[in-house]
């Protein structure tokens, strides 16, 4: 009863915004911020724009120094959430994108991350479980991890834009070197230094380029580390080798020079019009491999540069390369590290409904073509960018949809933006956190995942159910497209097994459970989603 009374007090204090003591103000602020972090993608921009300034004012109004010291961790956590949300809201709703804006977002996000680091110094999230007050207002390790993952994800989005911002300047300086012979390595280093990154000039250090003119390494800025796109780094490496081929009169190590050239060719991967390569044969797509890369760094141009270096600085008797250039894929570099593959369960969890279609697409053997048929049906039904691919423990593949909200008859909810609005999945226990969830969101929801398994025989399903959390974790460990090694695999006799997992959440605060009523068949689900009826057409 005390918890309920306390909850109601907080509830009404939030509704009428009366003067509350610092404990209630901090609790209210933290809960609203954590809910906004968790459901940011489901909230309108206008609503977030109203929430954040109000909560910023509330936190600033907590002036009692003794209270601030006693609640340092909760204040740091609330401030970190606020900084993160302000950055994300501004970034997502940007009208334009300038270097000044990028630097502002980068600094603001770094401030949020610095606050997170301060939390780690004074408290460990795993210890919060025993704090009754924290449990009451939803201060959990899971919420903390949601914030840190959000910061990391937003940093990656900013990182991409940072590289796209640098790219035009790198192209400009490349053409200046190519057309005028003016190699401005210091300008290249200055540009990346704006964002706290640094270029490597080891290739240039191997030549007679004046040591005093080789750019010094930039010091990193902030607590978040940004990574230079491989394509941009390769432009810098190419220019260093091009300088040596055209202007250098001496190199310290000829084998090292030709090693650098061999590595450059592997990473430019000129035979592939879309992908760069790393030194382990793994694809990189930090920035688009556009016409500039395909033209300026074609196989012919790369070979021409290699010939110039070989002619100018041939290996002397007794000198050998460290690389075994007879190996095609890795060009003699270190063996590829083992890459974890993402598999769909060998025995699929018990579904709400199931159908198996033998002799599926009998005239199509290549799995890449089978995927094209399935993917087009899904994309026509609104699943663009919302498919998850997996290996099977046998020849074939699995593809599932993202978790979506549906009507009780199996049709997608409308409007479209609410279809992917996942507002459930709380712990089910009573707390102030759940009270605010109820304030924020509507009750009662249906969710669905459709899984398609292409294999030689009908997919096996077990009697054990997969929880809502199980599928959430499963989808986090998947591929966005069919893995390359599966695309050219051929499977003559194929069965398409379609599994529908329909979850029902009776109320906010309740865990979604699998609908086992069998009231909807797979075909009924497909019929209610336009274009999916084509999925089973041979």
């Amino acid at each position: 009863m005390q918890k309920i009374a306390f909850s109601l007090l907080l509830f009404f204090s939030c509704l009428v915004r009366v003067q509350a003591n610092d404990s209630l103000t901090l609790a209210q602020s933290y809960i609203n911020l954590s809910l906004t972090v968790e459901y940011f993608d489901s909230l309108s921009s206008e609503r977030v724009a109203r929430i954040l300034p109000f909560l910023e004012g509330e936190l600033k109004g907590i002036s009692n120094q003794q209270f601030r010291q006693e609640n340092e961790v909760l204040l740091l956590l609330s401030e970190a959430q606020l900084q993160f949300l302000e950055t994300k809201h501004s970034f997502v709703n940007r009208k334009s994108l300038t270097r000044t804006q990028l630097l502002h977002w980068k600094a603001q996000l770094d401030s949020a991350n610095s606050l997170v680091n301060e939390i780690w110094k004074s408290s460990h999230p795993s210890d919060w479980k025993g704090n009754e007050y924290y449990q009451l207002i939803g201060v959990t390790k899971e919420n903390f991890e949601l914030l840190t993952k959000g910061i990391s994800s937003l940093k990656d989005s900013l990182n991409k834009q940072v590289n796209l911002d640098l790219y035009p300047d790198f192209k400009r300086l490349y053409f200046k070197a190519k057309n005028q012979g003016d190699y401005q390595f210091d300008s290249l280093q200055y540009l990346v230094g704006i964002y706290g990154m640094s270029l490597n000039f080891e290739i240039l250090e191997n030549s007679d380029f004046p040591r005093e003119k080789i750019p010094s390494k930039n010091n990193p800025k902030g607590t978040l580390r940004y990574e230079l796109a491989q394509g941009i780094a390769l432009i810098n490496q190419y220019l260093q080798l091009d300088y040596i081929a055209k202007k250098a009169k001496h190199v310290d190590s000829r084998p090292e020079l030709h090693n650098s050239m061999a590595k450059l060719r592997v990473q430019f991967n000129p035979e592939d019009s879309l992908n760069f390569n790393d030194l382990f044969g793994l694809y990189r797509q930090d920035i688009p491999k556009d016409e500039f890369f395909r033209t300026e760094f074609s196989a012919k141009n790369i070979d021409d540069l290699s010939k110039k270096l070989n002619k100018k600085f041939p290996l002397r008797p007794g000198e050998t390369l460290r690389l075994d250039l007879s190996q095609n894929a890795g060009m003699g570099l270190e063996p590829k590290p083992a890459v974890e593959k993402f598999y769909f369960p060998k025995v699929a969890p018990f579904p709400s409904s199931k159908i198996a279609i033998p002799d599926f697409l009998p005239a199509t053997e290549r799995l890449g073509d089978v995927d094209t048929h399935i993917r087009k049906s899904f994309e026509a039904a609104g699943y663009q960018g919302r498919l998850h691919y997996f290996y099977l423990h046998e020849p074939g593949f699995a593809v599932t949809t993202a978790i979506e909200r549906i009507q009780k008859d199996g049709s997608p909810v409308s409007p479209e933006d609410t279809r992917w609005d996942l507002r459930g999945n709380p712990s089910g226990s009573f707390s102030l956190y759940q009270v605010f969830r109820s304030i924020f969101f509507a009750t009662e929801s249906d969710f669905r995942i459709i899984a398609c398994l292409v294999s030689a025989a009908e997919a096996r399903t077990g009697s054990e159910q997969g929880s809502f959390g199980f599928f959430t974790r499963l989808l986090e460990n998947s591929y966005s497209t069919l893995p390359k090694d599966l695309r050219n695999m051929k499977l003559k006799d194929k069965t398409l097994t379609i599994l529908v997992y329909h979850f029902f959440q009776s109320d906010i605060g309740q865990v979604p459970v699998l609908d086992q009523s069998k009231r909807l068949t797979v075909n009924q689900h497909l019929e209610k989603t336009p274009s999916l009826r084509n999925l089973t057409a041979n």
Side-chain angles (χ1 to χ4, degrees):
M1 289 300 294
Q2 287 180 331
K3 287 184 177 181
I4 295 175
F6 185 53
S7 302
L8 291 175
L9 175 60
L10 179 55
F11 173 81
F12 286 112
S13 72
C14 293
L15 286 183
V16 300
R17 296 172 65 178
V18 299
Q19 181 68 37
N21 63 40
D22 287 343
S23 294
L24 286 175
T25 299
L26 182 55
Q28 170 193 341
S29 300
Y30 168 78
I31 292 173
N32 280 290
L33 285 165
S34 60
L35 283 169
T36 307
V37 169
E38 186 171 1
Y39 297 107
F40 181 91
D41 296 334
S42 304
L43 301 173
S44 69
S45 172
E46 293 76 13
R47 186 172 183 181
V48 176
R50 291 195 303 270
I51 291 170
L52 298 185
F54 170 72
L55 295 179
E56 182 179 14
E58 292 288 275
L59 291 174
K60 286 182 177 178
I62 302 174
S63 57
N64 186 299
Q65 291 303 311
Q66 180 179 348
F67 177 84
R68 294 186 70 89
Q69 290 174 4
E70 293 172 350
N71 294 274
E72 180 185 23
V73 170
L74 192 52
L75 279 163
L76 288 171
L77 188 52
S78 300
E79 290 285 356
Q81 290 182 129
L82 180 63
Q83 295 274 7
F84 163 68
L85 287 167
E86 288 178 341
T87 309
K88 185 172 183 178
H89 181 255
S90 178
F91 177 73
V92 169
N93 295 283
R94 63 190 182 275
K95 302 296 183 184
S96 60
L97 196 150
T98 65
R99 186 164 293 173
T100 300
Q101 288 174 314
L102 282 170
L103 288 170
H104 172 72
W105 291 325
K106 181 178 180 295
Q108 193 172 31
L109 189 63
D110 196 76
S111 176
N113 195 62
S114 296
L115 293 169
V116 167
N117 291 343
E118 286 297 314
I119 293 170
W120 278 111
K121 291 178 183 178
S122 57
S123 177
H124 197 285
S126 60
D127 298 333
W128 299 346
K129 195 170 184 179
N131 188 314
E132 185 177 352
Y133 176 58
Y134 278 14
Q135 291 303 300
L136 187 63
I137 64 173
V139 182
T140 63
K141 178 182 177 183
E142 290 72 24
N143 279 351
F144 181 71
E145 289 175 347
L146 196 64
L147 172 62
T148 58
K149 287 179 181 178
I151 290 174
S152 178
S153 176
L154 183 54
K155 188 271 292 184
D156 290 342
S157 297
L158 284 174
N159 204 154
K160 180 178 179 180
Q161 296 302 325
V162 162
N163 281 308
L164 291 174
D165 176 63
L166 292 171
Y167 182 37
D169 283 322
F170 268 68
K171 286 197 292 186
R172 174 178 56 81
L173 292 171
Y174 165 83
F175 283 116
K176 194 164 189 176
K178 177 183 178 181
N179 299 327
Q180 303 173 28
D182 185 5
Y183 295 83
Q184 297 189 3
F185 295 113
D186 55 342
S187 295
L188 295 175
Q189 187 74 304
Y190 168 77
L191 284 167
V192 301
I194 292 173
Y195 293 108
M197 297 183 290
S198 192
L199 291 168
N200 188 315
F201 290 97
E202 289 181 354
I203 296 173
L204 211 57
E205 291 170 353
N206 187 35
S207 73
D208 55 5
F209 189 87
R211 290 292 184 269
E212 68 276 7
K213 292 186 178 181
I214 295 178
S216 300
K217 186 175 182 179
N218 294 321
N219 293 322
K221 299 176 182 178
T223 59
L224 291 170
R225 295 290 176 262
Y226 287 73
E227 183 180 359
L228 194 63
Q230 189 178 23
I232 291 177
L234 291 176
I235 294 174
N236 172 56
Q237 293 174 35
Y238 182 94
L239 287 175
Q240 293 180 60
L241 290 167
D242 189 60
Y243 171 87
I244 292 173
K246 292 178 179 176
K247 296 194 174 187
K249 296 180 180 178
H250 167 77
V251 293
D252 297 333
S253 171
R254 297 188 179 194
E256 191 63 39
L257 173 68
H258 296 298
N259 284 339
S260 298
M261 185 66 232
K263 291 178 184 178
L264 186 77
R265 194 190 192 292
V266 172
Q267 294 177 93
F268 263 127
N269 196 20
E271 290 80 9
D272 190 324
S273 63
L274 296 177
N275 300 293
F276 298 105
N277 220 335
D278 69 4
L279 295 183
F280 300 105
L282 303 176
Y283 291 142
R284 292 278 296 276
Q285 290 181 309
D286 311 80
I287 57 174
K289 195 173 190 181
D290 58 13
E291 198 59 33
F292 166 74
F293 282 104
R294 289 190 286 268
T295 301
E296 296 299 323
F297 307 107
S298 63
K300 179 182 182 304
N301 289 349
I302 297 291
D303 289 341
D304 286 346
L305 177 58
S306 180
K307 289 175 183 177
K308 290 176 184 177
L309 292 171
N310 277 310
K311 183 177 180 180
K312 191 172 185 178
F313 300 108
L315 292 175
R316 299 186 182 97
E319 291 182 328
T320 58
L321 290 176
R322 288 185 313 185
L323 299 180
D324 177 10
L325 298 180
S326 64
Q327 297 186 29
N328 293 325
M331 296 294 284
L333 299 169
E334 294 298 320
K336 296 181 183 180
V339 179
E340 180 184 3
K341 290 184 176 181
F342 301 131
Y343 285 89
F344 196 80
K346 189 172 184 179
V347 178
F350 182 80
S352 300
S353 54
K354 172 183 178 180
I355 190 174
I357 304 171
D359 198 27
F360 181 64
L361 298 180
T364 306
E365 295 185 3
R366 184 175 171 272
L367 291 185
D369 297 328
V370 176
D371 170 51
T372 298
H373 171 85
I374 294 174
R375 177 170 43 80
K376 284 184 176 180
S377 296
F378 275 120
E379 289 182 346
Y383 294 90
Q384 297 94 330
R386 301 184 187 276
L387 297 178
H388 299 263
Y389 287 82
F390 304 86
Y391 286 90
L392 293 179
H393 294 271
E394 57 186 307
F397 69 93
V399 55
T400 77
T401 62
I403 301 173
E404 62 178 317
R405 294 181 68 226
I406 60 172
Q407 307 281 4
K408 291 192 178 298
D409 64 355
S411 58
V413 298
S414 60
E416 181 69 15
D417 58 352
T418 64
R419 181 178 179 182
W420 311 105
D421 174 8
L422 306 182
R423 295 175 171 174
N425 200 26
S427 65
S429 60
F430 179 85
S431 69
L432 295 184
Y433 191 67
Q434 301 303 341
V435 171
F436 274 90
R437 294 177 83 109
S438 299
I439 296 170
F440 258 52
F441 306 120
T443 61
E444 197 168 300
S445 298
D446 288 78
F447 305 95
R448 179 178 66 193
I449 301 165
I450 301 175
C452 295
L453 286 71
V454 177
S455 54
E458 179 180 340
R460 294 170 55 200
T461 55
S463 58
E464 188 174 338
Q465 298 179 23
S467 68
F468 194 80
F470 165 82
F471 280 100
T472 301
R473 292 189 296 273
L474 179 70
L475 299 185
E476 288 176 352
N477 297 286
S478 62
Y479 306 93
S480 59
T481 60
L482 185 67
K484 187 177 180 181
D485 60 325
L486 292 180
R487 294 173 197 167
N488 292 318
M489 180 184 291
K490 292 185 177 181
L491 194 60
K492 184 177 180 180
D493 299 318
K494 302 174 295 301
T495 296
L496 172 65
T497 306
I498 303 178
L499 309 173
V500 173
Y501 295 92
H502 179 179
F503 289 90
F504 173 68
Q505 182 178 12
S506 61
D507 197 357
I508 290 293
Q510 299 299 316
V511 177
V513 295
L514 187 72
D515 183 351
Q516 302 179 65
S517 66
K518 299 187 183 299
R519 60 186 180 82
L520 291 177
T521 66
V522 169
N523 284 329
Q524 286 173 317
H525 275 280
L526 300 184
E527 287 289 332
K528 289 293 184 178
T529 307
S531 299
L532 276 191
R533 66 193 64 176
N534 300 326
L535 185 62
T536 57
N538 272 337

